[in-house]
Amino acid sequence: MFGKHLNQYRLMKHIAKLRKRVRYWQQVGSQAVQDIIQRIEKAYKLFFKQHKKGTRPPGFKKRKKYKSFTLKQAGYKFVCENKIRIGKQVFKFSFSRKIEGKVKTLTVKRNNLGELFILVVTDHQDEIIPNMTGKIAGWDFGLRTFLIGSDGTTIESPLFFKQLRNKLNAANRSLSRKQKGSNNWYKAKDHLNRVYEEINHKRHDWFWKLSHQLTDEYDVLIFEDLNLKGMQRLWGRKISDLAFATFLEILQTVAEAKAKTIHFIDRFYPSTKTCSHCGHINQELTLKDRFWDCTSCHTKRIPRDLNAAINICRVGASTLKLDTVRPSMMASVA
Ligand SMILES: [Zn+2]
């Protein structure tokens, strides 16, 4: 009512007392506790600022639901090659990659299976040596093919996408047959979580590789600004399945690191309903039409997605801000 809450300093004081009295509170380091308090503070501030928009106040969370904590400078030490001391305990781990630079924060994370990960953020920065090719292309997402480029390049969805989807369905069915809360139910749930993990890892891996491939080959990549909700309505299936949004996020990260440009055109531009040859707009085009047949000029049998990709490229190139493009790109954009 008055926009007040237990602020972080009072909360800290209170917990400091608790830590002296109750052993349970000593299990994690003071920095981790501080991190929790900062998260609560942040959640309250957000709530008071945005409660009219429907943001909810921070609620009670079980310890079991707590997935991670972050340490800054203290509270941990790399003891030797593959061991780290966190608090008073020593943990063995293996590197997924070498740590470069000075460690800024260290986050301990637990996934749904109870596996633990350490995420290290450092101040290291890779030096960017832009490798320019002078190529620009528009891209359209498809259902059968993952991506189609305005130059005719097609990127097929890997087969494992479908295989994993079947596996996921099977795991879901198996879970629903078990009695909730029974041993077998927990086993089935673990299995389901493992399938989710597998899908996530494989998909991400493929997205990163594809992002590198595309940014190696093109300097400017143009996409439609996705209206995922609208697409979902249109196609009547899980768009999350295809994870276009995740891919675009990864692509943007990679592009930034390589000084390449990802550009989006307005989602209301009718890229599929416009003739890439003469500009004629055919409002009657439906999702069933897999090919573009122009009623104005005599363009026939252009694959629908390719027609869209060419349009996306043209519109994108004309709306590109020149300050986002490197001088070497000027020629080919013009
Ligand atoms: Zn035409």
Side-chain angles (χ1 to χ4, degrees):
M1 194 180 282
F2 301 106
K4 283 190 176 156
H5 68 282
L6 196 58
N7 76 41
Q8 56 177 326
Y9 305 106
R10 287 188 58 189
L11 199 55
M12 189 70 228
K13 245 184 182 169
H14 176 68
I15 289 176
K17 269 189 221 155
L18 263 181
R19 276 168 68 80
K20 272 187 206 140
R21 266 206 330 261
V22 190
R23 268 201 65 200
Y24 164 70
W25 276 96
Q26 292 161 13
Q27 287 178 355
V28 285
S30 61
Q31 280 220 2
V33 175
Q34 205 148 21
D35 180 55
I36 304 169
I37 291 169
Q38 276 165 4
R39 286 188 204 180
I40 295 173
E41 180 80 7
K42 214 170 130 193
Y44 269 117
K45 284 209 170 126
L46 193 74
F47 166 63
F48 286 124
K49 220 172 98 191
Q50 301 197 340
H51 68 283
K52 282 193 188 113
K53 283 191 217 154
T55 304
R56 300 183 141 274
F60 174 74
K61 282 212 179 69
K62 282 183 186 171
R63 180 165 55 128
K64 219 176 151 183
K65 294 248 163 168
Y66 204 59
K67 295 272 165 58
S68 71
F69 65 89
T70 301
L71 299 168
K72 283 173 189 137
Q73 277 82 34
Y76 61 90
K77 200 174 179 215
F78 288 98
V79 189
C80 63
E81 191 66 342
N82 61 347
K83 279 183 189 149
I84 183 168
R85 185 166 52 74
I86 298 173
K88 280 172 189 143
Q89 275 192 67
V90 175
F91 299 91
K92 223 170 144 181
F93 69 95
S94 54
F95 282 107
S96 64
R97 58 188 287 186
K98 223 174 81 196
I99 294 175
E100 290 173 278
K102 196 171 157 261
V103 176
K104 285 279 176 199
T105 63
L106 181 129
T107 302
V108 179
K109 214 168 176 162
R110 176 173 56 193
N111 69 9
N112 285 335
L113 295 167
E115 294 165 337
L116 293 172
F117 297 87
I118 314 171
L119 282 86
V120 178
V121 175
T122 71
D123 60 359
H124 177 77
Q125 257 192 325
D126 278 322
E127 218 173 291
I128 303 174
I129 307 157
N131 177 20
M132 293 302 165
T133 59
K135 274 165 88 179
I136 177 171
W139 299 89
D140 190 33
F141 289 106
L143 275 183
R144 266 153 255 187
T145 43
F146 185 73
L147 271 178
I148 181 152
S150 53
D151 59 358
T153 307
T154 54
I155 311 282
E156 298 294 331
S157 294
L159 270 177
F160 63 74
F161 274 27
K162 203 181 162 205
Q163 286 160 358
L164 287 173
R165 205 156 48 230
N166 293 340
K167 212 167 156 185
L168 185 70
N169 290 342
N172 256 319
R173 270 200 308 277
S174 161
L175 179 68
S176 68
R177 276 199 302 267
K178 307 286 186 294
Q179 198 189 351
K180 198 171 174 187
S182 68
N183 271 342
N184 281 331
W185 183 80
Y186 276 110
K187 259 190 228 161
K189 204 168 177 216
D190 265 2
H191 177 65
L192 179 66
N193 280 333
R194 209 157 293 182
V195 176
Y196 267 125
E197 284 275 298
E198 191 188 353
I199 291 177
N200 240 332
H201 287 166
K202 284 198 172 158
R203 191 190 267 154
H204 269 232
D205 178 60
W206 189 69
F207 284 169
W208 281 101
K209 279 174 184 157
L210 181 60
S211 296
H212 276 288
Q213 187 192 325
L214 290 176
T215 47
D216 276 343
E217 197 163 336
Y218 301 91
D219 289 354
V220 181
L221 294 137
I222 301 163
F223 293 87
E224 256 175 320
D225 189 353
L226 292 181
N227 174 0
L228 288 173
K229 283 255 163 62
M231 273 164 55
Q232 204 158 6
R233 207 170 343 102
L234 224 56
W235 292 344
R237 65 181 278 188
K238 257 200 207 153
I239 289 298
S240 54
D241 232 38
L242 300 152
F244 295 145
T246 313
F247 168 68
L248 286 176
E249 234 168 76
I250 292 172
L251 182 66
Q252 274 172 294
T253 309
V254 173
E256 205 175 303
K258 287 183 176 173
K260 303 283 176 119
T261 306
I262 308 296
H263 181 61
F264 293 96
I265 66 163
D266 187 355
R267 72 171 72 125
F268 297 111
Y269 172 73
S271 61
T272 49
K273 291 182 176 167
T274 306
C275 177
S276 59
H277 190 69
C278 71
H280 173 73
I281 293 174
N282 177 8
Q283 288 294 358
E284 263 96 75
L285 193 81
T286 64
L287 266 176
K288 271 187 228 137
D289 302 321
R290 298 312 309 164
F291 287 92
W292 174 265
D293 295 307
C294 187
T295 48
S296 179
C297 68
H298 294 290
T299 310
K300 282 229 178 325
R301 305 293 290 172
I302 298 185
R304 168 209 181 84
D305 297 340
L306 177 61
N307 182 55
I310 295 170
N311 286 326
I312 290 168
C313 184
R314 207 195 38 242
V315 172
S318 68
T319 53
L320 258 184
K321 282 197 200 85
L322 283 179
D323 57 2
T324 63
V325 184
R326 263 142 221 290
S328 67
M329 275 307 298
M330 296 281 212
S332 64
V333 172

